[in-house]
Amino acid sequence: MKTYLAIDIGASSGRHIAAWLEDGRIVTREVYRFPNGGSMVNGHLCWDIEGLEGHVVAGLKAAVAQGCKPDYVGIDTWGVDFILLDKAGKRVGDAVAYRDSRTEGMDAALEQVMPFPVHFGLCGIAKQPFNTVYQMMAVLKEHPEYAEEVDDFLMMPEYLSYILTGKKAHEWTNCTTGALCNADSGTWSEMIRTAAGIPDAWFKTPLTKPGTVLGALKDDIAREVGCQMTVILPATHDTGSAYMAVPARDDGAAFLSSGTWSLLGTELPTPVTTQAAMNAGFTNEGGYNGTTRFLKNIMGMWMLQCIHKETNKAHSFAEMAQMAADSTYPAWVDAADNRFLAPDRMLEEVKAALRDAGAPAPANLGDILRAVTMGLAVCYDKSIREMSEITGKAFTSINIVGGGSANVVLNQMTADVTGLPVYAGPTEGTALGNLAAQMIADGAFASLADFRKALPASFEIKEYLPQR
């Protein structure tokens, strides 16, 4: 029996999930979990990259110690962030996080050379301050010497796979998130990087597809872990993996990867780079088998995570959801508004947004939680309607995967507001999509369709029907 291991790292935590097949069912076991987050280093919000490297290896050791010796392993993380490398393959600079403010003004600077409609027409990626192209412009503005010192870069999951194997590769689904790829050809865009002033020399590593076998562990890593295993590149962008684990019943399903971010969209055979898509804030990210993830970024559980932290974790997330359900507060916030990207205090920002909209002042925490939760549901509804108009597809259900699928109050609100049935689960959608790429590459499943067929028999999927 072969064992597969997904290393799934999000903005707030990471986990190592082992999996194998039993009578056609996918069986999973969490073998390691660790915290993640940013802190200020040299004036910037940065990831603890050395800590992440250590946790990746520690989780492999834990899997072996628990009898889940992996034959294959894959790593996925969030998108857009990257690590710079010198000619010796060593890291240059800090691992700056996407919520850092260094990119302020970079979009305007690029638009002086390449108007955004032209940029969007090339890459199909919605304007976000954290896009890789803006981050690279910002780092070069701060460190012009990097133009000569830096020899290459790797996106975050690619870098962690490089630490394990010593081999470099760019995985397409993740690289498309940064607004540097050509949406039609699936290659790096020379026009975009020239306009942005990013050196050609940084783009020497070729793009590969999810499911590519990267190689074996380095000898020193294998000795430390206690065994050898093969590293496979899954859809290394976490949403790319999450979408693979959506057990859609038909082509009318809207996909929602619900975690720190809510990524609501659908799978399309080709990108949509029309002005309507651009104006509505949709983005075209690479998907498994060359598909397009046509979706919109919505703030998601990030807002609730911040509130949970700011209230000193006085209430569990389930209790917070119930407080939202018990409130009768009549207004909500726009969960797609970038004002919620990195506020000093989320509670105060939500109150300010409600005040700016002329809404009554919330009386208590429950009112604020309802304003956020209902705001998410309303944003989902608006996005589905826009997506239907832009693509011409009729959507008949919403399939939610990821940790946010456990929020029963939000799920029911979403069903009620959209008037569509909601199917919630699996909760570990991102890890499962990571595992899917490994299992398909190994031949355990013949195709993604076959893997998706196995999901309802392997994991609980809850149905929520509109009640009003």
Side-chain angles (χ1 to χ4, degrees):
M1 180 179 66
K2 292 185 178 180
T3 300
Y4 309 85
L5 185 72
I7 304 176
D8 171 33
I9 308 176
S12 59
S13 66
R15 59 209 60 81
H16 290 54
I17 306 289
W20 56 91
L21 294 178
E22 289 184 5
D23 300 323
R25 293 176 58 251
I26 305 163
V27 179
T28 61
R29 175 179 169 186
E30 182 179 299
V31 295
Y32 189 76
R33 181 175 285 262
F34 57 93
N36 190 30
S39 60
M40 296 304 295
V41 178
N42 298 322
H44 292 293
L45 181 66
C46 296
W47 303 109
D48 177 9
I49 188 62
E50 293 179 356
L52 288 175
E53 293 173 23
H55 282 301
V56 165
V57 175
L60 295 180
K61 293 169 68 175
V64 174
Q66 294 175 39
C68 297
K69 177 182 174 182
D71 295 282
Y72 298 95
V73 61
I75 302 175
D76 70 81
T77 76
W78 61 96
V80 303
D81 286 348
F82 55 90
I83 300 294
L84 298 173
L85 302 173
D86 63 16
K87 290 180 173 61
K90 302 298 183 182
R91 179 163 52 87
V92 177
D94 298 314
V96 179
Y98 64 87
R99 293 187 191 273
D100 184 72
S101 62
R102 66 176 174 169
T103 58
E104 185 175 345
M106 291 300 103
D107 58 336
L110 181 56
E111 285 168 35
Q112 291 180 3
V113 182
M114 175 178 281
F116 184 70
V118 176
H119 187 187
F120 182 82
L122 289 168
C123 69
I125 298 298
K127 185 197 293 188
Q128 295 285 2
F130 47 70
N131 285 346
T132 307
V133 63
Y134 301 136
Q135 291 201 52
M136 287 187 170
M137 292 173 64
V139 76
L140 283 165
K141 181 180 180 181
E142 184 176 2
H143 295 283
E145 70 276 12
Y146 283 2
E148 297 296 330
E149 292 179 12
V150 170
D151 186 63
D152 206 349
F153 77 95
L154 291 172
M155 304 298 282
M156 187 64 71
E158 301 165 353
Y159 173 75
L160 294 173
S161 296
Y162 167 67
I163 292 298
L164 294 182
T165 64
K167 297 180 180 179
K168 295 189 291 186
H170 283 309
E171 191 278 306
W172 179 64
T173 69
N174 203 320
C175 292
T176 61
T177 67
L180 281 161
C181 289
N182 187 293
D184 291 323
S185 66
T187 59
W188 294 116
S189 172
E190 183 178 358
M191 289 181 63
I192 295 174
R193 68 173 183 259
T194 298
I198 304 169
D200 288 346
W202 291 16
F203 292 82
K204 57 173 57 69
T205 297
L207 288 163
T208 58
K209 300 296 185 183
T212 297
V213 175
L214 192 58
L217 299 181
K218 293 189 296 185
D219 290 343
D220 59 330
I221 299 290
R223 283 194 298 269
E224 182 176 358
V225 169
C227 72
Q228 188 55 267
M229 62 193 73
T230 299
V231 178
I232 291 179
L233 294 175
T236 61
H237 183 225
D238 50 13
T239 310
S241 278
Y243 269 39
M244 293 175 67
V246 174
R249 289 160 171 76
D250 54 56
D251 191 50
F255 291 13
L256 175 58
S257 173
S258 180
T260 299
W261 286 91
S262 286
L263 293 309
L264 189 146
T266 187
E267 283 183 336
L268 297 176
T270 56
V272 180
T273 56
T274 62
Q275 184 173 343
M278 180 189 73
N279 291 341
F282 279 89
T283 201
N284 296 267
E285 297 175 353
Y288 188 77
N289 276 342
T291 57
T292 292
R293 287 178 285 125
F294 185 71
L295 55 84
K296 179 177 280 192
N297 285 18
I298 300 165
M299 289 299 161
M301 298 299 108
W302 162 250
M303 299 177 73
L304 297 175
Q305 290 166 357
C306 288
I307 293 172
H308 185 237
K309 183 177 180 180
E310 290 173 17
T311 54
N312 296 315
K313 303 180 181 180
H315 308 281
S316 69
F317 284 107
E319 290 170 341
M320 289 168 60
Q322 190 56 52
M323 292 167 70
D326 292 341
S327 169
T328 57
Y329 186 72
W332 52 85
V333 296
D334 178 4
D337 193 329
N338 275 341
R339 71 186 297 166
F340 302 118
L341 181 63
D344 291 333
R345 284 185 59 83
M346 185 64 73
L347 281 167
E348 294 306 316
E349 196 65 36
V350 171
K351 291 178 184 177
L354 291 168
R355 188 166 56 248
D356 292 346
N364 50 45
L365 179 59
D367 286 355
I368 294 174
L369 292 170
R370 183 174 183 84
V372 171
T373 306
M374 181 60 77
L376 286 167
V378 170
C379 199
Y380 298 161
D381 179 55
K382 178 184 177 184
S383 299
I384 289 172
R385 294 177 188 277
E386 291 172 334
M387 188 164 60
S388 180
E389 183 174 345
I390 292 167
T391 65
K393 291 181 65 172
F395 294 97
T396 56
S397 67
I398 304 171
N399 286 246
I400 307 177
V401 298
S405 67
N407 189 320
V408 297
V409 173
L410 177 56
N411 294 341
Q412 188 60 58
M413 281 186 181
T414 300
D416 293 342
V417 171
T418 63
L420 299 175
V422 168
Y423 301 98
T427 56
E428 291 289 357
T430 304
L432 284 170
N434 182 326
L435 293 164
Q438 298 179 49
M439 290 177 169
I440 295 167
D442 184 46
F445 287 97
S447 66
L448 178 56
D450 285 344
F451 177 86
R452 283 172 167 166
K453 289 176 183 176
L455 291 172
S458 304
F459 304 97
E460 182 180 24
I461 299 171
K462 295 183 179 180
E463 182 181 44
Y464 297 82
L465 299 177
Q467 294 182 353
R468 60 176 184 271

